[in-house]
Amino acid sequence: LLHLLSAAGWRFSGGGRLSTTEQLERLLAARLHLPWTQTQAAAELGISDSTLKRRLRAGQTSFACLLRQLRMETALFLLMSSTRPIGEIAAACGYQSGGHFAAAFKQQFGFLPSRLRA
């Protein structure tokens, strides 16, 4: 829950400049439904694509991994805390297809999202 709140922009500790990874998490979480690319995200952050890639690599992650993690954590939270249809949750998390969402969810968590609704 704290990670989801953090990704949504909440901060519980004071001070300091946000890392590039933290800035990217905030950016993506605010508009998770969009079909983000690394190049678009870098432009939004005001840095080059290669700089974003290098900084994420230094933090031992990648754009694709971070975006997928945010989408899956948000999907899990929404599935557990709301009665919204699975297709609507998939769209809110940036998936154009319910099938792609279900496959990604199963790969991440080991079960289909519909299992949380049974």
Side-chain angles (χ1 to χ4, degrees), residues 24 31 43 51 53 91 97 112:
L24 180 59
R31 296 178 275 165
T51 296
K53 187 175 184 176
S97 158
L112 292 170

Side-chain angles (χ1 to χ4, degrees), residues 24 27 36-53 63:
L24 180 59
L27 173 68
W36 285 102
T37 66
Q38 182 172 300
T39 302
Q40 291 169 325
E44 288 276 337
L45 294 174
I47 58 178
S48 71
D49 190 28
S50 59
T51 296
L52 177 58
K53 187 175 184 176
F63 178 80

